[in-house]
């Protein structure tokens, strides 16, 4: 530990710690056995961070995923003791603000843990992300151990269900007790099993209604018997699969509000604008697939109703070339799905005319939620059945709406900024003018604790890996010196977390060799634009040899997406940049047309790298590509045996990775984050360390070389990528799971959690009104 105590940096992260351990092992000539298998080495590899002062070392030991111990060690390593989390946070506060500041103003300590006594809790980290499976096991056990209580909950839950004011499932006036329901259920089942399986519901509806059974059980006798038998089994032999299967069949959701306030939310000319990228594609594809799924579900249940889905976002009067100034816009290729735009208003209730960065919209969200509540009630002609939040701002608005409308809430973070910006909690004061992290992190905690259930695309998004911390996990304990300490910010072992990866729109993204679906005119136009067009003022760079294999990437122009890192990697690897061309689509080539500081800096850096590395003739830069054309663009690069590279420093999921893979383009993604759960490295694509440019270029060059020596290798990776997406990442799978979750958590909210969550809700409300809202209003 001498090296640690005698170095300049008082605060060390895992990378620093491992580098120092390597140095120690080299200097002391430690054996391979010691380096790889000793208890000391194993302990050190599980330290994500430590602090060093003059007389002590504070060690954070992540002994298992999402589980920590904190130790204090003296300089001669003769004594080590375990500390409370708050003692460690106190030390970090003192390190930043000094002892006097700490004495003069004791910190506000935030602790959500005591409020989770209403819910069962998991113990095994491996179960994190499978919340509904754990919850259904708990429910089946409860049904078995306390049948009267839970059967009554189930009976009452069935009685309340209506769609568009029409009663479903059971008529409480006829089946006015649980015992009567069970008796009639057995009698009706005996009758139904004697009928032909294809007898339609309409032919037997009158007899079922006389017995007290309304619509919603199924479209024909076979489906009705299956659903009723599941309910019968629940009353007599409850188990987890039966609970999930039965509740999934209840047609209880027809009106859905999807909340996404920030950025430019539209169907055309928005991609590449600041704060606008994958989330727009995700939500539009999600909504279209959700409508298709619900329509089929209602048909199967024998209900004549149409789902309605509204995407709630912000109206921007100065909308440039977008439709973001339209209050109401139909979503293409849907029957009854809409974009509802509500304007931001300032403190004098005047409409804010211009786009505002996601880091600076916090003062407007409370009023936005208030106005949106009335707008949604008007459009839905009542309350929605489900509210889905997106990103930190959208999830906060969804929490406010869920409270005010008493509607079940789903949270989807997509990406939490806390892990993307190093020391963003510790040095929040310095970052506050640009990012307002004090508001964002508070909003994150409020929404993740208030929501009924949380969807993530990957396990890593929640709890990381054996070697790295997850995005949600980073909220367990932290401090923002001078503002508050978080002792327990989120309970990862509460069964509200569920992994539901998104799908890909297969009308837009399909394999390059499916030539019957491709439009030759579009292919020709994009071939010209991508490789040859020299007359457009929005394209930078000409290719000396357009026939070289292309390396392609497409993303927003911000630091975390690391496009400039890919340019540097390509430019510094002479063999790679002589064998291939680099083509990227990002934002705009005109820095003066960007309203985002970080984007302008990245644009200027891209120009500087192209000049310094002399990449003229080997690099081509296009603006962001409209969503409807991106599938054909991927396929054109696949025609030319190119590759797609997603060089982000961190990627929560990676929708472009799925799109490129399904189009048949061999794909590279960062090993940090979600791509590691999409790509099977070396089989369906490639994972790479994106922290340094040379690591990116080495990964790509290794593939290029192998393809040069084995031409069939490109085809093997291409075909495996297509198969991987089709098996694991489809919108049909996504929506089946999402709707099942919404229904199951709806039952949990009604039967148990609704009453138990009151104290937790009140605690969140206090933090919102006394901390977040007050701070946000100071930014007006």
């Amino acid at each position: 530990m001498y090296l640690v105590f005698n170095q300049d940096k008082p605060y060390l992260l895992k990378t620093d710690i491992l580098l120092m351990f390597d140095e120690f092992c080299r200097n002391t000539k430690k054996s391979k056995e010691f380096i790889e298998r000793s208890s000391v080495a194993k302990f050190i590899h599980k330290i994500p961070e430590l602090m060093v002062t003059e007389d002590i070392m504070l060690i954070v030991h992540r002994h298992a995923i999402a589980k920590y111990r904190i130790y204090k060690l003296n300089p001669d390593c003769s004594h080590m003791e375990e500390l409370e989390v708050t003692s460690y946070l106190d030390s970090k506060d003192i390190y930043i603000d000094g002892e006097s500041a700490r004495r003069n103003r004791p910190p506000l300590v935030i602790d959500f843990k005591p409020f989770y006594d209403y819910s069962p809790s998991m113990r095994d980290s491996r179960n994190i992300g499978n919340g509904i499976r754990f919850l259904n096991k708990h429910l089946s056990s409860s049904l078995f151990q306390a049948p009267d209580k839970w059967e009554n909950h189930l009976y009452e839950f069935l009685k309340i269900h209506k769609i568009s004011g029409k009663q479903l499932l059971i008529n409480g006036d006829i089946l006015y007790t649980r015992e009567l329901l069970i008796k009639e259920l057995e009698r009706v089942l005996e009758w139904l099993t004697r009928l032909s399986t294809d007898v339609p519901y309409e032919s037997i509806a009158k007899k079922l209604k006389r017995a007290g059974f309304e619509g919603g059980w199924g479209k024909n006798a076979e489906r009705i018997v299956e659903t009723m038998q599941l309910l019968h089994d629940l009353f007599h032999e409850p188990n987890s699969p039966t609970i999930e299967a039965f509740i999934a069949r209840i047609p209880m959701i027809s009106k859905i509000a999807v909340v996404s306030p920030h950025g430019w939310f539209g169907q055309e000319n928005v991609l590449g604008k600041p704060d606008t990228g994958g989330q727009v594609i995700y939500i539009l594809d999600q909504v279209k697939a959700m409508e298709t799924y619900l329509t089929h579900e209602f048909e199967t249940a024998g209900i004549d109703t149409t789902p309605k889905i509204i995407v709630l976002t912000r109206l921007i009067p100065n909308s440039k070339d977008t439709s973001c100034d339209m209050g109401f816009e139909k979503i293409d290729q849907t029957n009854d799905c809409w974009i509802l735009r509500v304007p931001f208003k300032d403190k004098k209730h005047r409409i804010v005319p211009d786009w505002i960065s996601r880091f600076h919209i916090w003062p407007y969200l409370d009023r936005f939620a208030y106005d949106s509540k009335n707008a949604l009630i008007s459009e839905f002609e009542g309350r929605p059945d489900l509210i889905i939040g997106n990103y930190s701002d959208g999830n906060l608005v969804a929490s406010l709406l869920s409270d005010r409308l008493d509607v079940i809430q789903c949270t989807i973070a997509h990406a939490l900024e806390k892990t993307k910006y190093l020391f963003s909690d510790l040095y929040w004061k310095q970052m506050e003018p640009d990012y307002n992290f004090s508001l964002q992190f508070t909003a994150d905690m409020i929404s993740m604790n208030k929501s009924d259930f949380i969807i993530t695309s990957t396990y890593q998004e929640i709890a990381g890996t054996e070697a790295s911390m997850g995005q949600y996990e980073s909220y367990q304990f932290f401090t923002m010196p001078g503002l508050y300490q978080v002792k327990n910010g989120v309970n990862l072992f509460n069964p509200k977390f569920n992994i539901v990866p998104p799908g890909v729109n297969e009308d837009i993204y399909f394999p390059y060799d499916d030539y019957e679906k491709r439009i030759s005119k579009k292919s020709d136009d994009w071939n010209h634009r991508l490789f040859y067009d020299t007359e457009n003022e929005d394209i930078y760079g000409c290719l000396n040899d357009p026939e070289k294999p292309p390396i392609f990437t497409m993303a927003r122009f911000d630091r975390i997406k690391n496009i400039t890192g890919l340019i540097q990697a390509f430019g510094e690897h002479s063999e790679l940049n002589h064998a291939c061309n680099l083509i990227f689509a990002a934002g705009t080539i005109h820095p003066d047309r960007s309203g985002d500081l970080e984007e302008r800096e990245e644009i200027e850096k891209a120009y500087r790298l192209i000049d310094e590395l002399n990449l003229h003739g080997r690099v081509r830069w296009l603006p962001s590509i409209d969503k409807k054309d991106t599938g054909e663009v991927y396929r054109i690069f696949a025609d030319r045996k190119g590759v797609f590279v997603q060089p982000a420093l961190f990627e929560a999921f990676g929708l472009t990775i799925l799109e490129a893979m399904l189009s048949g383009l061999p794909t590279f993604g960062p090993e940090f984050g979600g791509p590691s759960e999409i790509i099977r490295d070396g089989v369906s694509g490639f994972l790479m360390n994106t922290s340094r440019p040379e690591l990116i270029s080495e990964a790509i060059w290794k593939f290029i070389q192998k393809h040069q020596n084995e031409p069939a290798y490109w085809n093997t990776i291409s075909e495996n990528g297509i198969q991987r997406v089709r098996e694991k990442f489809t919108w049909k799978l996504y929506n089946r799971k999402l709707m099942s979750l919404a229904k199951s958590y709806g039952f949990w909210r009604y039967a148990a959690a609704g009453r138990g969550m009151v104290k937790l809700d009140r605690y969140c409300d206090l933090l919102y009104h006394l901390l977040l809202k007050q701070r946000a209003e100071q930014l007006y």
Side-chain angles (χ1 to χ4, degrees):
M1 293 297 176
Y2 174 81
L3 281 174
V4 179
F5 275 106
N6 290 273
Q7 48 82 47
D8 296 331
K9 296 198 303 186
Y11 194 80
L12 303 178
L13 294 179
K14 189 179 185 104
T15 304
D16 306 308
I17 297 165
L18 293 180
L19 286 172
M20 296 183 75
F21 180 65
D22 288 344
E23 182 183 350
F24 164 77
C25 290
R26 284 196 306 271
N27 293 341
T28 56
K29 298 181 179 179
K30 292 294 183 183
S31 66
K32 185 178 179 181
E33 178 75 17
F34 176 85
I35 295 170
E36 294 181 356
R37 295 189 178 91
S38 69
S39 57
V40 172
K42 290 177 181 177
F43 183 81
I44 286 173
H45 277 79
K46 289 183 178 292
I47 301 175
E49 62 183 60
L50 61 79
M51 277 189 68
V52 184
T53 66
E54 291 182 359
D55 55 352
I56 59 167
M57 182 189 304
L58 300 174
I59 301 169
V60 177
H61 181 223
R62 186 176 183 257
H63 61 91
I65 287 177
K67 295 181 179 180
Y68 294 82
R69 297 189 186 103
I70 299 169
Y71 299 102
K72 181 172 72 172
L73 179 68
N74 64 353
D76 62 5
C77 302
S78 62
H79 179 71
M80 186 165 76
E81 64 179 278
E82 190 169 351
L83 290 181
E84 290 289 324
V85 167
T86 49
S87 297
Y88 176 60
L89 299 179
D90 284 345
S91 298
K92 293 173 86 170
D93 284 356
I94 293 168
Y95 164 60
I96 297 296
D97 286 344
E99 180 71 48
S100 59
R102 173 72 178 80
R103 276 198 310 269
N104 294 336
R105 188 180 178 186
L108 166 67
V109 177
I110 295 174
D111 186 359
F112 286 96
K113 187 175 181 179
F115 299 98
Y116 276 93
D117 58 355
Y118 75 89
S119 170
S121 183
M122 298 179 285
R123 295 182 180 180
D124 191 338
S125 301
R126 291 171 297 183
N127 290 329
I128 293 173
N130 286 310
I132 197 60
R133 184 186 304 169
F134 178 87
L135 189 61
N136 283 333
K137 286 181 180 178
H138 173 78
L139 288 172
S140 64
S141 175
S142 300
L143 276 164
F144 184 79
Q145 294 175 8
D148 287 342
K149 172 186 173 183
W150 283 93
E151 286 177 9
N152 278 330
H153 283 322
L154 181 58
Y155 166 73
E156 295 293 335
F157 185 69
L158 296 177
K159 278 203 314 182
I160 66 173
H161 281 297
K162 298 180 180 180
I163 283 186
S164 301
K166 188 175 181 179
Q167 182 65 44
L168 296 179
L169 301 176
I170 65 173
N171 184 330
D173 292 333
I174 298 174
L175 302 175
Y176 47 85
T177 66
R178 166 175 56 95
E179 292 77 12
L180 187 55
L181 167 61
I182 295 172
K183 180 181 177 181
E184 284 300 301
L185 190 64
E186 292 173 346
R187 187 182 67 81
V188 168
L189 269 172
E190 183 181 354
W191 165 63
L192 285 170
T193 53
R194 296 198 298 267
L195 301 178
S196 173
T197 57
D198 59 356
V199 172
Y201 167 73
E202 291 77 13
S203 300
I204 55 178
K206 287 184 179 179
K207 190 165 184 178
L208 286 172
K209 286 177 180 291
R210 284 198 298 269
F213 295 97
E214 301 290 339
W217 295 95
K219 66 178 181 180
N220 55 34
E222 181 180 34
R223 180 78 177 186
I224 296 169
V225 167
E226 289 175 359
T227 308
M228 288 186 169
Q229 188 63 53
L230 286 170
L231 179 59
H232 181 271
D233 292 346
L234 268 186
F235 283 128
H236 292 85
E237 298 179 39
N239 58 61
S240 176
T242 304
I243 288 176
E244 186 169 1
F246 175 70
I247 293 179
R249 288 198 176 202
I250 301 175
M252 63 176 77
I253 296 171
S254 65
K255 300 173 182 178
I256 302 173
V258 181
V259 187
S260 182
H262 79 245
W264 299 76
F265 199 100
Q267 300 182 81
E268 292 184 352
N269 302 324
V270 298
L271 295 183
K273 285 184 166 55
D275 291 345
T276 309
Q279 87 272 18
V280 174
I281 297 173
Y282 179 109
I283 291 170
L284 288 174
D285 286 349
Q286 175 200 43
V287 165
K288 293 173 186 178
M290 208 182 315
E291 183 187 53
T292 300
Y293 181 85
L294 287 173
T295 299
H296 175 72
E297 181 180 70
F298 293 145
E299 290 173 355
T300 304
I303 298 173
D304 182 18
T305 193
T306 302
K308 182 168 187 172
I309 304 171
I310 292 176
V311 177
L312 173 66
T313 189
R314 182 210 163 185
L315 184 140
I316 307 174
N318 293 343
S319 61
K320 299 186 177 180
D321 57 345
T322 75
S323 59
C324 293
D325 60 340
M326 291 177 59
F328 210 49
E329 181 183 358
K330 177 84 175 296
I331 295 178
D332 297 339
Q333 301 171 348
T334 68
N335 182 52
D336 200 9
C337 298
W338 305 83
I339 301 171
L340 171 64
R341 298 186 179 92
V342 176
F344 284 170
K345 294 178 181 176
D346 63 20
K347 60 183 177 182
K348 294 183 178 179
H349 304 298
R350 297 171 300 195
I351 291 175
V352 178
D354 298 312
W355 168 85
I356 300 173
S357 162
R358 72 184 188 277
F359 295 116
H360 300 289
I361 65 175
W362 301 102
Y364 308 99
L365 295 182
D366 188 78
R367 181 73 198 194
F368 175 80
Y370 179 85
D371 293 340
S372 297
K373 172 193 168 185
N374 297 327
L376 287 172
I377 289 174
S378 175
E379 296 300 334
F380 280 127
E381 298 181 348
R383 298 182 304 166
D385 304 309
L386 170 67
I387 297 174
I388 302 174
N390 293 273
Y391 280 93
S392 299
D393 50 305
N395 287 320
L396 179 66
V397 173
S399 295
L400 296 173
L401 288 169
S402 174
D403 272 356
R404 294 165 186 175
L405 295 170
D406 191 23
V407 173
I408 188 170
Q409 176 196 351
C410 168
T411 283
I412 307 178
H414 296 281
L416 293 165
E417 307 282 353
K418 189 169 178 294
T419 53
K420 290 167 63 175
Y421 293 83
L422 194 61
F423 300 126
S424 52
D425 50 1
L426 211 55
Y427 296 105
W428 69 275
K429 290 178 185 175
Q430 292 93 315
M431 298 182 178
E432 194 75 352
D434 293 328
Y435 297 108
N436 286 306
F437 283 143
S438 70
L439 300 172
Q440 185 165 354
F441 298 168
T442 309
D444 287 336
M445 284 192 294
I446 289 171
S447 58
M448 64 180 65
N449 282 287
K450 283 182 80 74
S451 61
D452 293 281
F453 66 104
I454 296 171
I455 281 180
T456 69
S457 299
T458 65
Y459 178 90
Q460 290 187 50
E461 193 177 336
I462 312 169
T465 66
E466 290 287 348
S468 63
M469 181 185 294
Q471 292 182 59
Y472 279 95
E473 186 182 1
S474 71
Y475 283 79
Q476 284 188 294
F477 61 90
F478 65 97
T479 184
M480 302 183 83
L483 182 63
Y484 57 64
Q485 291 179 358
V486 177
K487 184 178 179 182
N488 290 284
V490 61
N491 183 358
L492 299 188
F493 294 90
N494 181 269
K496 66 168 60 178
F497 288 93
N498 293 274
I499 301 166
V500 189
V504 183
N505 185 336
E506 296 184 55
D507 292 329
I508 295 175
Y509 306 102
F510 54 85
Y512 72 100
D513 56 1
D514 192 349
Y515 298 111
E516 291 184 1
K517 293 175 70 173
R518 296 179 66 176
I519 302 169
S520 57
K521 176 67 166 60
K522 178 181 281 192
S523 297
D524 293 342
D525 290 347
W526 271 105
N527 253 306
H528 179 69
R529 180 166 171 78
L530 290 169
F531 299 100
Y532 305 104
D533 191 351
T534 59
E535 299 179 0
N536 268 296
E537 64 169 13
D538 64 345
I539 299 175
Y540 178 79
C542 297
L543 300 176
N544 293 337
D545 184 359
E547 301 307 313
K548 288 181 180 180
I551 298 169
F552 175 59
T553 193
M554 177 171 58
R556 295 192 312 275
F557 234 141
D558 58 31
R559 282 192 291 272
I560 204 73
K561 293 299 184 183
N562 199 33
I563 290 178
T564 52
L566 176 59
I567 297 171
Q568 185 176 346
F570 178 78
E572 291 178 347
H573 197 292
S574 59
E575 292 172 303
L576 185 63
N577 67 54
H578 279 89
C580 303
N581 291 318
L582 174 63
I583 302 173
F584 58 94
T588 172
I589 67 172
H590 305 287
D592 57 322
R593 296 183 186 176
S594 172
D596 184 83
L597 175 62
E598 187 173 305
E599 182 181 48
R600 288 198 301 273
E601 290 174 349
E602 287 296 292
I603 292 171
E604 290 163 358
K605 184 178 179 181
Y607 279 120
R608 188 168 62 253
L609 285 168
I610 292 169
D611 288 338
E612 291 174 354
L613 298 170
N614 192 25
L615 295 178
H616 300 286
R618 286 170 283 181
V619 168
R620 190 161 167 86
W621 175 1
L622 294 91
S624 298
I625 298 168
D626 193 277
K627 176 180 179 291
K628 67 178 183 297
D629 294 322
T630 52
E632 188 58 29
V633 168
Y634 288 127
R635 289 187 287 271
I636 288 169
F637 287 115
D639 291 336
R640 293 169 174 257
K641 298 297 187 244
V643 299
F644 178 77
V645 179
Q646 219 277 34
L649 298 173
F650 177 84
E651 184 61 62
F653 182 64
L655 203 54
T656 54
I657 287 174
L658 289 183
E659 296 167 354
M661 287 172 67
L662 188 55
S663 302
L665 200 54
T667 298
F668 293 75
E671 64 185 15
F672 313 111
S676 65
E677 294 182 38
I678 299 174
I679 295 171
R680 294 177 61 205
D681 188 31
V683 178
S684 57
F686 303 93
L687 297 171
M688 56 188 181
N689 186 331
T690 56
S691 63
R692 300 202 307 271
E694 64 269 22
L695 298 177
I696 297 174
S697 56
E698 285 169 11
I700 301 171
W701 180 238
K702 184 178 178 181
F703 171 79
I704 297 296
Q705 281 185 303
K706 188 164 184 177
H707 175 223
Q708 289 173 342
N709 297 326
E710 302 175 33
Y713 184 58
W714 188 98
N715 294 325
T716 299
I717 300 298
S718 170
E719 290 164 6
N720 289 347
I722 293 168
Q723 187 66 20
R724 175 73 172 167
V725 176
R726 285 177 168 169
E727 287 179 355
K728 299 292 184 180
F729 304 98
T730 69
W731 282 116
K732 184 176 180 180
L733 292 172
Y734 175 96
N735 282 299
R736 180 187 302 160
K737 186 69 178 287
L738 173 61
M739 289 303 116
S740 176
L741 291 173
K743 295 170 184 179
S744 294
Y745 284 100
F747 175 60
W748 173 248
R749 177 187 176 110
Y750 172 82
R755 292 180 293 278
M757 282 184 68
V758 171
K759 293 178 182 178
L760 177 60
D761 275 345
R762 296 297 175 266
Y763 188 60
C764 291
D765 292 343
L766 283 173
L767 290 176
Y768 175 71
H769 287 285
L770 300 181
L771 182 61
L772 191 151
K773 187 177 176 182
Q774 283 193 9
R775 289 185 63 83
E777 288 176 347
Q778 293 171 11
L779 297 179
Y780 268 129

